[in-house]
Amino acid sequence: MRHVSGLIVFSLLLTACMAGGGSAAEQTGSDIRIEIGPRLSAPRATHQLIAAGEGRLLAIGGCVRSGCEAGPASATVDVIDAQSMEMVGGGSLLVQRIQPSAAALPDGRVLIFGGWVDGRVSTTTEIFDPATGKSLAGPVMAAPRNAPAVVRLADDRILIAGGYDGSDVRSDAEIFDPTTGRLTATGQLATARSGATATLLTDGRVLMVGGGRPDRAPTRALASAEIFDPTTGRFSPAGQLAQGRYKHGALRLANGDVLIVGGSDARDYDGKLRSVERFDVAAGRFVPAGNLADPRFKIADGLLLLPGNKVLVAAGDTAPEIFDVASGTGARLDYDLGGQWNYMTLVRADARTALLAGGYREGRIEPTDQSWIIHLPKG
Protein backbone atom coordinates (compact mmCIF):
# COMPACT_ATOMS: atom_id res chain seq x y z
CA MET A 1 0.00 0.00 0.00
CA ARG A 2 2.86 2.38 0.76
CA HIS A 3 4.47 2.00 -2.66
CA VAL A 4 1.52 2.20 -5.05
CA SER A 5 0.65 5.44 -6.77
CA GLY A 6 -1.93 7.43 -8.71
CA LEU A 7 -5.50 6.18 -8.88
CA ILE A 8 -4.69 3.12 -6.73
CA VAL A 9 -3.53 5.35 -3.89
CA PHE A 10 -6.69 7.45 -4.11
CA SER A 11 -8.89 4.36 -4.10
CA LEU A 12 -7.17 2.85 -1.09
CA LEU A 13 -7.29 6.10 0.85
CA LEU A 14 -10.97 6.53 0.13
CA THR A 15 -11.76 2.97 1.21
CA ALA A 16 -9.84 3.35 4.45
CA CYS A 17 -11.46 6.70 5.16
CA MET A 18 -14.91 5.16 4.82
CA ALA A 19 -13.95 2.27 7.10
CA GLY A 20 -12.36 4.29 9.87
CA GLY A 21 -14.20 7.59 9.94
CA GLY A 22 -11.14 9.66 9.01
CA SER A 23 -8.47 10.10 6.39
CA ALA A 24 -6.41 6.98 5.86
CA ALA A 25 -3.15 8.91 5.96
CA GLU A 26 -3.82 12.39 7.23
CA GLN A 27 -1.02 14.87 7.79
CA THR A 28 -1.38 16.71 11.09
CA GLY A 29 0.33 19.70 12.58
CA SER A 30 2.46 17.39 14.68
CA ASP A 31 3.94 15.58 11.67
CA ILE A 32 2.01 12.44 12.56
CA ARG A 33 0.17 10.48 9.89
CA ILE A 34 -2.53 7.95 10.68
CA GLU A 35 -3.87 5.30 8.34
CA ILE A 36 -6.16 2.34 8.70
CA GLY A 37 -4.31 -0.78 9.81
CA PRO A 38 -5.03 -4.50 9.53
CA ARG A 39 -8.32 -5.90 10.73
CA LEU A 40 -7.97 -8.01 13.85
CA SER A 41 -9.36 -11.55 13.60
CA ALA A 42 -12.16 -10.50 15.98
CA PRO A 43 -13.34 -7.36 17.75
CA ARG A 44 -11.21 -6.91 20.88
CA ALA A 45 -11.28 -4.68 23.95
CA THR A 46 -9.62 -5.01 27.37
CA HIS A 47 -7.08 -7.04 25.40
CA GLN A 48 -3.30 -6.76 25.36
CA LEU A 49 -1.03 -5.60 22.53
CA ILE A 50 2.57 -6.69 23.03
CA ALA A 51 5.73 -6.19 20.98
CA ALA A 52 7.30 -9.65 21.11
CA GLY A 53 10.55 -10.91 19.61
CA GLU A 54 11.49 -11.08 15.92
CA GLY A 55 9.32 -8.17 14.81
CA ARG A 56 5.98 -9.53 15.98
CA LEU A 57 3.08 -7.61 17.50
CA LEU A 58 0.59 -9.74 19.43
CA ALA A 59 -3.06 -8.83 20.08
CA ILE A 60 -4.08 -11.07 22.96
CA GLY A 61 -7.47 -12.17 24.27
CA GLY A 62 -9.93 -9.62 25.63
CA CYS A 63 -13.69 -9.27 25.37
CA VAL A 64 -14.98 -9.87 21.85
CA ARG A 65 -18.75 -9.43 22.07
CA SER A 66 -21.17 -6.58 22.73
CA GLY A 67 -21.28 -5.72 26.42
CA CYS A 68 -17.59 -6.69 26.64
CA GLU A 69 -18.43 -10.37 26.96
CA ALA A 70 -16.17 -13.32 26.27
CA GLY A 71 -16.35 -15.57 23.23
CA PRO A 72 -14.17 -18.18 21.54
CA ALA A 73 -11.92 -15.44 20.15
CA SER A 74 -11.12 -14.41 23.75
CA ALA A 75 -8.77 -17.41 23.70
CA THR A 76 -6.94 -16.34 20.54
CA VAL A 77 -3.87 -14.29 19.65
CA ASP A 78 -3.38 -12.29 16.46
CA VAL A 79 0.19 -12.08 15.14
CA ILE A 80 1.00 -8.92 13.17
CA ASP A 81 4.26 -8.31 11.34
CA ALA A 82 5.74 -5.09 12.74
CA GLN A 83 7.38 -4.11 9.44
CA SER A 84 4.60 -4.79 6.94
CA MET A 85 1.78 -4.20 9.45
CA GLU A 86 -0.02 -7.22 8.03
CA MET A 87 -1.67 -10.10 9.86
CA VAL A 88 0.68 -13.05 9.47
CA GLY A 89 -0.70 -15.66 11.81
CA GLY A 90 -2.47 -16.48 14.99
CA GLY A 91 -2.41 -18.65 18.04
CA SER A 92 -4.44 -20.00 20.92
CA LEU A 93 -4.56 -19.39 24.65
CA LEU A 94 -5.44 -22.13 27.11
CA VAL A 95 -8.58 -20.29 28.25
CA GLN A 96 -10.80 -17.37 27.24
CA ARG A 97 -9.55 -14.27 29.09
CA ILE A 98 -11.25 -10.89 29.47
CA GLN A 99 -8.89 -8.12 30.60
CA PRO A 100 -5.79 -10.31 30.85
CA SER A 101 -2.46 -8.90 31.97
CA ALA A 102 0.65 -9.62 29.92
CA ALA A 103 4.38 -8.94 29.81
CA ALA A 104 7.00 -9.71 27.18
CA LEU A 105 9.76 -12.06 28.27
CA PRO A 106 13.41 -11.75 27.13
CA ASP A 107 13.21 -14.79 24.84
CA GLY A 108 10.25 -13.46 22.82
CA ARG A 109 7.56 -15.38 24.64
CA VAL A 110 4.81 -13.61 26.59
CA LEU A 111 3.56 -14.16 30.14
CA ILE A 112 -0.24 -13.89 30.20
CA PHE A 113 -2.19 -14.05 33.43
CA GLY A 114 -5.24 -13.21 35.47
CA GLY A 115 -8.25 -11.36 34.14
CA TRP A 116 -11.74 -12.85 33.98
CA VAL A 117 -12.04 -16.52 33.08
CA ASP A 118 -15.44 -18.26 33.08
CA GLY A 119 -16.99 -15.36 34.97
CA ARG A 120 -14.40 -15.28 37.76
CA VAL A 121 -11.11 -13.50 38.31
CA SER A 122 -8.35 -16.01 37.61
CA THR A 123 -5.20 -17.13 39.43
CA THR A 124 -3.82 -18.90 36.36
CA THR A 125 -0.92 -17.91 34.15
CA GLU A 126 0.24 -19.15 30.77
CA ILE A 127 3.23 -18.53 28.56
CA PHE A 128 2.51 -17.94 24.88
CA ASP A 129 5.18 -18.70 22.27
CA PRO A 130 4.59 -16.78 19.01
CA ALA A 131 6.94 -19.18 17.21
CA THR A 132 4.52 -22.07 17.78
CA GLY A 133 1.27 -20.17 18.30
CA LYS A 134 0.63 -22.12 21.48
CA SER A 135 0.57 -21.55 25.23
CA LEU A 136 1.89 -23.66 28.07
CA ALA A 137 0.54 -23.44 31.60
CA GLY A 138 2.62 -21.29 33.95
CA PRO A 139 2.70 -21.09 37.73
CA VAL A 140 -0.45 -20.29 39.69
CA MET A 141 -0.55 -16.84 41.30
CA ALA A 142 -1.01 -16.44 45.03
CA ALA A 143 -4.38 -14.78 44.43
CA PRO A 144 -6.83 -14.01 41.63
CA ARG A 145 -5.90 -10.71 39.97
CA ASN A 146 -7.68 -8.39 37.57
CA ALA A 147 -6.07 -5.05 36.64
CA PRO A 148 -2.96 -5.41 38.81
CA ALA A 149 -0.02 -3.06 38.26
CA VAL A 150 2.53 -4.86 36.07
CA VAL A 151 6.03 -3.86 35.04
CA ARG A 152 9.15 -5.59 33.71
CA LEU A 153 12.04 -4.85 36.03
CA ALA A 154 15.56 -3.97 34.92
CA ASP A 155 16.67 -7.58 35.49
CA ASP A 156 13.76 -8.90 33.33
CA ARG A 157 11.69 -10.18 36.24
CA ILE A 158 8.00 -9.20 36.19
CA LEU A 159 6.45 -7.36 39.14
CA ILE A 160 2.72 -8.01 39.66
CA ALA A 161 1.15 -5.90 42.40
CA GLY A 162 -2.35 -5.47 43.78
CA GLY A 163 -5.41 -5.87 41.57
CA TYR A 164 -9.00 -6.93 42.14
CA ASP A 165 -9.72 -10.53 43.18
CA GLY A 166 -13.44 -10.62 42.46
CA SER A 167 -14.34 -9.57 45.97
CA ASP A 168 -12.09 -6.62 46.83
CA VAL A 169 -8.80 -4.93 45.97
CA ARG A 170 -5.52 -6.46 47.12
CA SER A 171 -2.27 -5.18 48.59
CA ASP A 172 -0.02 -8.21 48.06
CA ALA A 173 2.56 -8.48 45.28
CA GLU A 174 4.57 -11.21 43.61
CA ILE A 175 7.39 -11.49 41.09
CA PHE A 176 7.72 -13.83 38.11
CA ASP A 177 11.29 -14.90 37.34
CA PRO A 178 11.65 -16.00 33.69
CA THR A 179 14.90 -17.85 34.43
CA THR A 180 13.19 -20.21 36.88
CA GLY A 181 9.60 -19.96 35.68
CA ARG A 182 8.45 -19.37 39.25
CA LEU A 183 6.37 -16.80 41.11
CA THR A 184 7.52 -15.64 44.53
CA ALA A 185 5.91 -13.30 47.03
CA THR A 186 7.46 -9.90 47.62
CA GLY A 187 6.58 -6.89 49.81
CA GLN A 188 3.10 -5.59 50.54
CA LEU A 189 1.69 -2.37 49.13
CA ALA A 190 0.94 0.17 51.84
CA THR A 191 -2.53 0.57 50.31
CA ALA A 192 -4.56 -1.99 48.40
CA ARG A 193 -5.14 -0.79 44.84
CA SER A 194 -6.46 -1.88 41.44
CA GLY A 195 -6.22 0.08 38.20
CA ALA A 196 -2.94 1.67 39.29
CA THR A 197 0.05 2.33 37.02
CA ALA A 198 3.56 0.97 37.48
CA THR A 199 6.47 2.79 35.82
CA LEU A 200 10.10 1.68 35.84
CA LEU A 201 12.38 4.50 36.96
CA THR A 202 15.89 4.99 35.59
CA ASP A 203 17.45 3.69 38.82
CA GLY A 204 15.53 0.39 38.64
CA ARG A 205 12.86 1.23 41.20
CA VAL A 206 9.15 1.27 40.29
CA LEU A 207 6.69 4.11 40.82
CA MET A 208 3.14 2.90 41.61
CA VAL A 209 0.51 5.63 41.22
CA GLY A 210 -3.17 5.94 42.02
CA GLY A 211 -5.65 3.21 41.35
CA GLY A 212 -8.12 2.32 44.04
CA ARG A 213 -11.37 0.41 44.16
CA PRO A 214 -13.08 0.90 40.78
CA ASP A 215 -14.72 -2.53 40.54
CA ARG A 216 -17.28 -2.48 43.35
CA ALA A 217 -19.16 0.00 45.52
CA PRO A 218 -18.26 2.13 47.23
CA THR A 219 -15.73 3.07 44.56
CA ARG A 220 -12.55 4.83 45.61
CA ALA A 221 -9.84 6.65 43.63
CA LEU A 222 -6.50 7.00 45.39
CA ALA A 223 -4.20 10.01 45.35
CA SER A 224 -1.36 8.10 47.00
CA ALA A 225 1.76 6.69 45.35
CA GLU A 226 4.42 4.19 46.37
CA ILE A 227 7.88 3.20 45.21
CA PHE A 228 8.96 -0.43 45.01
CA ASP A 229 12.66 -1.17 45.49
CA PRO A 230 13.54 -4.56 43.95
CA THR A 231 16.78 -4.74 45.95
CA THR A 232 14.84 -4.82 49.23
CA GLY A 233 11.45 -6.08 48.02
CA ARG A 234 9.72 -3.25 49.88
CA PHE A 235 7.20 -0.56 49.02
CA SER A 236 7.56 2.92 50.52
CA PRO A 237 5.36 6.07 50.32
CA ALA A 238 6.05 8.40 47.38
CA GLY A 239 3.88 11.44 47.99
CA GLN A 240 0.38 12.44 46.99
CA LEU A 241 -1.26 13.40 43.72
CA ALA A 242 -3.32 16.57 43.68
CA GLN A 243 -6.18 14.45 42.32
CA GLY A 244 -7.10 10.85 43.17
CA ARG A 245 -7.37 8.86 39.94
CA TYR A 246 -7.67 5.39 38.47
CA LYS A 247 -7.74 4.01 34.91
CA HIS A 248 -5.22 6.71 34.02
CA GLY A 249 -1.99 6.54 32.05
CA ALA A 250 1.64 7.01 33.06
CA LEU A 251 4.93 7.11 31.21
CA ARG A 252 8.55 7.96 31.91
CA LEU A 253 9.85 11.09 30.26
CA ALA A 254 13.29 11.51 28.73
CA ASN A 255 14.57 13.29 31.87
CA GLY A 256 13.46 10.39 34.09
CA ASP A 257 10.37 12.06 35.56
CA VAL A 258 6.99 10.32 35.24
CA LEU A 259 3.94 11.90 33.62
CA ILE A 260 0.52 10.94 35.05
CA VAL A 261 -2.25 11.50 32.53
CA GLY A 262 -6.04 11.70 32.83
CA GLY A 263 -8.04 8.86 34.37
CA SER A 264 -11.15 9.16 36.47
CA ASP A 265 -12.12 10.01 39.99
CA ALA A 266 -14.46 7.72 41.94
CA ARG A 267 -17.41 8.69 39.70
CA ASP A 268 -15.94 6.65 36.84
CA TYR A 269 -17.63 7.74 33.54
CA ASP A 270 -18.94 10.88 35.19
CA GLY A 271 -15.55 11.78 36.63
CA LYS A 272 -13.19 11.61 33.64
CA LEU A 273 -10.17 13.88 34.11
CA ARG A 274 -8.22 16.30 31.92
CA SER A 275 -5.56 17.03 34.51
CA VAL A 276 -1.94 15.94 34.13
CA GLU A 277 0.64 15.68 36.90
CA ARG A 278 4.36 14.97 36.90
CA PHE A 279 6.38 13.04 39.45
CA ASP A 280 9.62 14.95 39.97
CA VAL A 281 12.04 12.13 40.75
CA ALA A 282 14.78 14.40 42.13
CA ALA A 283 12.37 16.16 44.49
CA GLY A 284 10.33 13.05 45.24
CA ARG A 285 6.99 14.80 44.78
CA PHE A 286 4.16 15.40 42.33
CA VAL A 287 3.69 18.76 40.63
CA PRO A 288 0.88 20.04 38.37
CA ALA A 289 1.75 19.56 34.70
CA GLY A 290 -1.21 20.99 32.77
CA ASN A 291 -4.33 19.65 31.10
CA LEU A 292 -5.35 17.46 28.19
CA ALA A 293 -7.54 18.90 25.47
CA ASP A 294 -10.20 16.31 26.39
CA PRO A 295 -11.01 14.31 29.53
CA ARG A 296 -9.93 10.69 29.02
CA PHE A 297 -9.85 7.47 31.04
CA LYS A 298 -9.18 3.77 30.42
CA ILE A 299 -5.99 4.91 28.67
CA ALA A 300 -3.24 2.99 30.50
CA ASP A 301 -2.16 1.24 27.28
CA GLY A 302 -2.68 4.25 25.02
CA LEU A 303 0.32 6.56 25.60
CA LEU A 304 3.56 6.93 23.67
CA LEU A 305 6.55 9.25 24.20
CA LEU A 306 7.43 11.33 21.15
CA PRO A 307 10.46 13.47 20.27
CA GLY A 308 10.50 17.04 21.52
CA ASN A 309 9.12 16.24 24.98
CA LYS A 310 5.67 15.44 23.65
CA VAL A 311 3.30 12.56 24.41
CA LEU A 312 0.81 10.90 22.10
CA VAL A 313 -2.42 10.18 24.00
CA ALA A 314 -4.22 7.96 21.52
CA ALA A 315 -7.06 6.38 23.50
CA GLY A 316 -10.19 7.56 25.27
CA ASP A 317 -11.87 9.81 22.70
CA THR A 318 -12.84 10.21 19.05
CA ALA A 319 -9.41 11.59 18.13
CA PRO A 320 -5.90 11.21 19.56
CA GLU A 321 -4.13 14.24 20.97
CA ILE A 322 -0.58 15.40 21.52
CA PHE A 323 0.33 16.65 24.98
CA ASP A 324 3.22 19.14 25.06
CA VAL A 325 5.07 18.67 28.34
CA ALA A 326 6.82 22.04 28.11
CA SER A 327 3.61 24.06 27.75
CA GLY A 328 1.35 21.69 29.69
CA THR A 329 -1.29 21.71 26.96
CA GLY A 330 -2.93 19.09 24.79
CA ALA A 331 -4.06 19.50 21.19
CA ARG A 332 -6.39 17.16 19.31
CA LEU A 333 -5.14 15.67 16.08
CA ASP A 334 -7.22 16.28 12.99
CA TYR A 335 -8.22 12.64 12.63
CA ASP A 336 -11.55 10.93 13.32
CA LEU A 337 -11.22 7.43 14.80
CA GLY A 338 -14.87 6.75 14.02
CA GLY A 339 -15.88 6.37 17.64
CA GLN A 340 -15.05 7.20 21.23
CA TRP A 341 -13.00 4.17 22.20
CA ASN A 342 -12.02 2.90 25.65
CA TYR A 343 -9.34 0.33 26.44
CA MET A 344 -7.51 0.79 23.16
CA THR A 345 -3.95 -0.52 23.01
CA LEU A 346 -0.95 1.25 21.51
CA VAL A 347 2.51 -0.20 20.93
CA ARG A 348 5.59 1.02 19.10
CA ALA A 349 6.52 -1.22 16.16
CA ASP A 350 9.80 0.55 15.40
CA ALA A 351 11.35 4.01 15.70
CA ARG A 352 8.92 5.52 13.19
CA THR A 353 5.75 3.45 13.47
CA ALA A 354 3.21 2.44 16.11
CA LEU A 355 0.01 0.40 16.04
CA LEU A 356 -3.22 1.39 17.78
CA ALA A 357 -5.75 -1.44 18.02
CA GLY A 358 -9.18 -2.40 19.30
CA GLY A 359 -11.14 -0.93 22.18
CA TYR A 360 -14.85 -0.66 22.82
CA ARG A 361 -17.26 2.09 21.88
CA GLU A 362 -18.20 4.10 24.95
CA GLY A 363 -21.87 3.88 25.88
CA ARG A 364 -22.74 0.89 23.71
CA ILE A 365 -19.74 -1.19 24.89
CA GLU A 366 -19.13 -2.58 21.41
CA PRO A 367 -15.59 -3.89 20.75
CA THR A 368 -14.00 -3.14 17.38
CA ASP A 369 -11.67 -5.18 15.17
CA GLN A 370 -10.18 -1.99 13.71
CA SER A 371 -6.55 -0.95 14.03
CA TRP A 372 -4.68 2.18 12.97
CA ILE A 373 -1.07 2.58 11.84
CA ILE A 374 0.52 5.72 13.30
CA HIS A 375 3.53 7.13 11.46
CA LEU A 376 5.64 9.01 14.00
CA PRO A 377 7.81 12.10 13.52
CA LYS A 378 11.56 11.87 13.21
CA GLY A 379 13.67 12.22 16.31
Side-chain angles (χ1 to χ4, degrees), residues 81-96:
D81 183 88
Q83 183 173 6
S84 68
M85 285 295 186
E86 296 177 351
M87 191 81 65
V88 294
S92 299
L93 303 178
L94 299 177
V95 292
Q96 297 176 16

Side-chain angles (χ1 to χ4, degrees), residues 7-60:
L7 183 61
I8 298 175
V9 168
F10 176 78
S11 176
L12 287 172
L13 293 180
L14 180 61
T15 300
C17 179
M18 294 172 64
S23 167
E26 186 168 355
Q27 187 76 26
T28 74
S30 299
D31 295 326
I32 285 180
R33 292 187 302 113
I34 303 175
E35 63 177 307
I36 298 300
R39 291 280 183 184
L40 304 176
S41 66
R44 297 185 190 274
T46 71
H47 57 295
Q48 290 285 330
L49 187 63
I50 297 289
E54 299 184 2
R56 300 183 181 102
L57 307 179
L58 309 180
I60 302 167

